[in-house]
Amino acid sequence: MEYMIGVDLGTTSTKAVLFDDRNQVVASANKGYQLYRDIPDMAEEDLNEIFEALIDALSDVVRQANLSEGNKISAVSFSSAMHSLIAFDKNWQPLTRVITWADTRAVKYTEELKRTGLGQEIYQKTGTPIHPMAPLSKLLWLKTEHEDVYNQSAHYLGIKEYLFRRLFGVNKMDISLASGTGLFNIFNLDWDEQALSVTGLQKSQLPMTVEPYAYETNMAAEYAAVIGIPADTPFVYGAGDGPLSNLGVNAIQPGVAAITIGTSGAIRVVADHPVIDPKGRTFTYALDKEHWVVGGPVNNGGDVFRWARDNMFDAEKSTAALLGTDAYDLMTQIAARVPAGSEGLIFHPYLGGERAPIWDANARGSFFGLNHGHTRAHMLRSVLEGITFNVYMVSLALEEVVGDLKSIQATGGFARSPLWRQMFADIFEQPVTVPEAFESGALAAVIVAQKALGQIDNLNEIEKYIGSANTYQPMPENFQAYRELAPIFIRLSRQLQTEYENIANYQRKHSK
């Protein structure tokens, strides 16, 4: 048997999934690590913790492949979280931890870029909205507030590039991850001169860019031995997790949208060329040179549901643990008791600032319309509805850029919740299809590896392996509630923006 491994490098864990030669999941291993939030707006990871998680996850699934029986790992391929930044000195010693997409300490410099109009100029060439998530903004923050680190920095990488460097001694980045840095010109496929000038960087400080189908062999012998594979096993670069999520649910045809809600979330469609939003609300990232993913990411997805669990439903969390059931299942049962619209309670889910559609790192969450009749159950349902309304807002912006959405494919942790899936169908007033395969990112990475090795000619081959799907039809009895609430949600999000900076600054001043 020949196996392939798809690796999903996430914000809080790394998962390795073993696929057989029919692209069926055989085994998986998931290794978590801490997201460090030592001070307000920080969101960092430890390099060694992530490296060890990768080695452990790969070792686990390789053991389950039973290579001693004559089986073989023919490739390892990657889906990676985007927008991370690590600074290194001239001797390749790290000067920072991994500064993740969720880190918003560069908000001040982001706003300055926006005010001058320079940010919009750069966005028009890079396709990455001006936001603290992007390495472009992070570099301006380092340059101004950590001059010692900036001056010592000879190289900058993201997390996947660091892992490849440590395993293979190379300095390369795939164009998919490069297209999310805010430094890469998506039209000439090279580092953008204007973005480099703004940050003060030289091209030599950034990696060489390669296609997602490029791969490395000749791994350092010590790591190959620990993982348990031959050192010449191809490690395929793969692409960013957003683009691969579309591929993983077969949403690569025009007008087919993929909605993913994990820790964060996004809605995306695929075009055959870069598409720029004149208003700067959507991103354009490469899957490869022929497939460009256009969409909007949201900071606040499953992590907001987790916040509700930990802070409003602690007793239910304990009960679920005693009963051996899932706390989230128990919570969705509670939320399902409340009618659509939560009887007029609206929740804006901006606990961690927000990217699309408002692109405001100062944004904060709020309940609106709370009255004596509302209970925790109302609040919980409004949390789920608020996350969904926010993604719906992004879809409206996306339709302005790429046209009407023809269908929706759903993936991510929320896709396991029947209540949440139905809520998306009702608010969007469109059928929502949930493919059977939940390991969509890892499967997409394996499809990329198969094309890289010449086993397939076209990414559309993935359609054969998606499996059966459940489709949730919109329920007309819920339309009226959501049609009335959606405009209020949207107007409020705009009106509250005038005070987000003030309350965020207050919190930074008084946070312990």
Side-chain angles (χ1 to χ4, degrees):
M1 178 72 72
E2 287 201 7
Y3 298 102
M4 283 192 177
I5 299 174
V7 176
D8 192 347
L9 296 172
T11 305
T12 55
S13 69
T14 287
K15 177 180 283 190
V17 184
L18 185 70
F19 292 88
D20 64 18
D21 54 9
R22 294 169 299 165
N23 286 342
Q24 299 299 305
V25 175
V26 175
S28 66
N30 193 30
K31 307 296 179 180
Y33 31 80
Q34 184 172 347
L35 186 65
Y36 292 91
R37 295 185 181 273
D38 304 339
I39 58 175
D41 302 326
M42 172 191 283
E44 295 185 344
E45 299 163 334
D46 182 87
L47 278 71
N48 288 324
E49 289 178 8
I50 296 178
F51 184 77
E52 289 168 6
L54 173 64
I55 298 298
D56 289 348
L58 288 174
S59 300
D60 276 6
V61 295
V62 167
R63 278 194 296 271
Q64 295 177 73
N66 293 319
L67 300 190
S68 60
E69 299 295 323
N71 299 325
K72 176 185 177 183
I73 304 295
S74 56
V76 179
S77 185
F78 288 77
S79 167
S80 178
M82 304 182 76
H83 315 300
S84 59
L85 183 71
I86 314 162
F88 297 85
D89 67 15
K90 63 182 180 181
N91 297 315
W92 286 102
Q93 294 303 305
L95 299 172
T96 66
R97 292 190 291 200
V98 185
I99 308 172
T100 72
W101 64 268
D103 192 297
T104 58
R105 286 173 289 178
V107 61
K108 174 182 175 182
Y109 309 99
T110 303
E111 295 307 315
E112 288 177 0
L113 264 184
K114 289 181 178 179
R115 280 192 289 268
T116 63
L118 186 57
Q120 181 67 7
E121 289 182 28
I122 294 174
Y123 163 76
Q124 293 288 332
K125 294 184 291 180
T126 66
T128 301
I130 305 303
H131 186 271
M133 69 175 184
L136 169 71
S137 293
K138 292 177 171 66
L139 286 163
L140 295 175
W141 168 72
L142 281 176
K143 183 179 181 181
T144 306
E145 297 192 18
H146 295 275
E147 191 175 359
D148 55 335
V149 172
Y150 178 86
N151 289 337
Q152 291 181 68
S153 299
H155 309 281
Y156 291 97
L157 302 178
I159 185 55
K160 187 179 72 175
E161 296 73 56
Y162 164 74
L163 296 173
F164 267 71
R165 172 155 188 85
R166 193 157 170 185
L167 292 172
F168 298 98
V170 296
N171 182 20
K172 300 176 185 177
M173 174 182 278
D174 70 77
I175 61 170
S176 179
L177 290 182
S179 67
T181 62
L183 303 166
F184 187 74
N185 190 307
I186 59 177
F187 296 98
N188 65 21
L189 300 181
D190 197 3
W191 299 113
D192 185 71
E193 294 292 346
Q194 187 177 26
L196 292 179
S197 176
V198 167
T199 58
L201 263 60
Q202 303 296 319
K203 278 188 182 181
S204 59
Q205 293 177 273
L206 297 171
M208 180 179 79
T209 56
V210 296
E211 280 265 36
Y213 307 107
Y215 57 87
E216 302 294 339
T217 55
N218 299 318
M219 185 191 302
E222 59 181 302
Y223 300 130
V226 173
I227 296 170
I229 56 176
D232 62 354
T233 302
F235 271 52
V236 181
Y237 279 88
D241 54 0
L244 286 181
S245 287
N246 271 63
L247 176 60
V249 295
N250 193 33
I252 57 174
Q253 304 303 323
V256 180
I259 293 178
T260 305
I261 303 291
T263 302
S264 56
I267 178 169
R268 304 167 301 270
V269 297
V270 173
D272 60 4
H273 63 282
V275 180
I276 298 297
D277 176 17
K279 299 178 182 178
R281 296 165 299 176
T282 59
F283 60 66
T284 300
Y285 302 144
L287 170 53
D288 59 20
K289 290 180 180 179
E290 289 76 40
H291 299 87
W292 295 86
V293 177
V294 185
V298 297
N299 282 4
N300 303 282
D303 62 335
V304 179
F305 197 22
R306 186 185 307 116
W307 166 83
R309 180 200 68 183
D310 293 344
N311 293 282
M312 292 193 291
F313 289 86
D314 194 55
E316 286 77 6
K317 180 180 174 183
S318 299
T319 300
L322 289 172
L323 296 175
T325 60
D326 189 288
Y328 293 113
D329 289 343
L330 182 57
M331 289 170 63
T332 53
Q333 291 172 23
I334 293 170
R337 300 171 191 164
V338 175
S342 302
E343 297 187 295
L345 182 60
I346 292 175
F347 178 71
H348 283 85
Y350 308 138
L351 302 187
E354 191 50 284
R355 290 181 287 175
I358 62 176
W359 294 102
D360 189 343
N362 289 315
R364 294 296 183 263
S366 59
F367 285 100
F368 179 82
L370 196 63
N371 64 38
H372 287 294
H374 289 129
T375 65
R376 287 188 310 153
H378 289 86
M379 297 175 78
L380 179 58
R381 184 175 183 113
S382 73
V383 165
L384 297 177
E385 290 175 340
I387 296 168
T388 310
F389 275 132
N390 194 51
V391 178
Y392 175 67
M393 275 181 65
V394 182
S395 77
L396 298 178
L398 186 58
E399 287 186 319
E400 286 184 35
V401 178
V402 299
D404 292 342
L405 305 183
K406 298 176 182 176
S407 61
I408 296 173
Q409 302 279 87
T411 185
F414 92 100
R416 289 182 168 86
S417 166
L419 173 66
W420 213 347
R421 290 181 290 203
Q422 187 62 55
M423 197 176 287
F424 266 87
D426 294 342
I427 289 176
F428 278 72
E429 296 190 26
Q430 280 193 334
V432 172
T433 300
V434 183
E436 187 179 66
F438 288 114
E439 305 294 358
S440 56
L443 173 62
V446 163
I447 292 294
V448 170
Q450 290 171 349
K451 185 176 180 189
L453 299 181
Q455 297 178 3
I456 61 173
D457 297 323
N458 196 302
L459 294 179
N460 290 322
E461 287 287 315
I462 198 167
E463 185 175 358
K464 300 176 182 178
Y465 307 108
I466 297 300
S468 60
N470 293 317
T471 299
Y472 284 71
Q473 298 293 336
M475 297 173 65
E477 60 265 34
N478 293 334
F479 288 175
Q480 190 60 39
Y482 290 138
R483 286 173 180 171
E484 289 183 41
L485 278 182
I488 301 173
F489 181 97
I490 293 169
R491 288 195 300 270
L492 272 174
S493 68
R494 294 168 180 161
Q495 292 167 6
L496 289 172
Q497 266 192 283
T498 60
E499 295 296 337
Y500 281 148
E501 183 174 5
N502 294 328
I503 195 64
N505 286 336
Y506 179 91
Q507 291 175 352
R508 293 182 185 111
K509 180 179 178 181
H510 295 283
S511 177
K512 295 182 181 179

